[in-house]
Amino acid sequence: FDDGVDEIQTPKVLDVLKKYDVKAIFFIIGEKAEKHPHLVQRIVAEGHKIGIHSYTHKPIFPILAYDNMHKEVWDTKEILEKITGETVDLFRPPFGVTNPNVGKVVEELNLKTIGWNIRSLDTNMSQDRLQVAERVSQKLTGRDIILLHDDRQGSEILLEALLKNIEKLGHKVTLL
């Protein structure tokens, strides 16, 4: 899950994950973590992993100067580690964009970049959440990383439908 944490949607997503006994990775925006540290703590307490998704998630992230990009990632790393008391070494660049500066920041901070191979396109709120789940399910091969967002209205509906479809297909959700 990207772009969280969200006061309304993240708890709903966590409730669905708990119901199905599924663990996930949440790539968290630093400024949102500062506003809602209790949600970050809940994510970790329930056995999920967390990762860095920049401090602000601004569209200009991929073209930031190295120092500014480093600060976005470092600040988020420090915030998440302070909230959880755990080392955070996973990173997903905003918009999935990598370039030499992103690579340099990742290497310098000893992070592991996690991408995806199925983009749900769940940020388009005009789409029915159940239709999104069906479209994503048709792409599943059994070794997939699905990009979802825990800050969008109806994310829990999409997640539950997707988990049901994964089960029907005979696949199992596991962490990396």
Side-chain angles (χ1 to χ4, degrees), residues 94-114:
F95 315 103
V97 176
T98 59
N99 60 39
N101 276 347
V102 172
K104 188 175 174 184
V105 169
V106 165
E107 184 178 336
E108 184 174 306
L109 297 179
N110 199 28
L111 302 174
K112 180 179 179 182
T113 302
I114 307 294

Side-chain angles (χ1 to χ4, degrees), residues 54-65 68-70 72-73 91 93-95 97 99 102:
S54 80
Y55 183 77
T56 61
H57 199 283
K58 290 182 181 172
I60 61 168
F61 181 86
I63 59 170
L64 288 175
N68 294 334
M69 185 179 289
H70 187 280
E72 283 263 332
V73 176
F91 174 69
F95 315 103
V97 176
N99 60 39
V102 172

Side-chain angles (χ1 to χ4, degrees), residues 138-154:
Q138 291 172 7
K139 297 177 182 180
L140 293 173
T141 65
R143 306 280 288 156
D144 303 294
I145 298 175
I146 305 167
L147 172 62
L148 297 167
H149 296 83
D150 63 311
D151 68 334
R152 308 301 162 137
Q153 185 176 3

Side-chain angles (χ1 to χ4, degrees), residues 1 5-26 28 36 38-50 150 155-156 159 163:
F1 291 93
V5 289
D6 179 82
E7 187 70 25
I8 296 169
Q9 287 305 127
T10 302
K12 293 177 183 180
V13 166
L14 289 168
D15 290 345
V16 172
L17 292 169
K18 183 182 276 187
K19 177 180 175 181
Y20 287 86
D21 193 27
V22 169
K23 303 302 178 203
I25 304 174
F26 290 78
I28 298 171
H36 309 292
H38 63 285
L39 291 174
V40 176
Q41 291 168 340
R42 178 178 171 192
I43 289 168
V44 172
E46 292 183 8
H48 306 286
K49 292 185 180 182
I50 61 170
D150 63 311
S155 55
E156 78 283 4
L159 175 60
L163 290 173

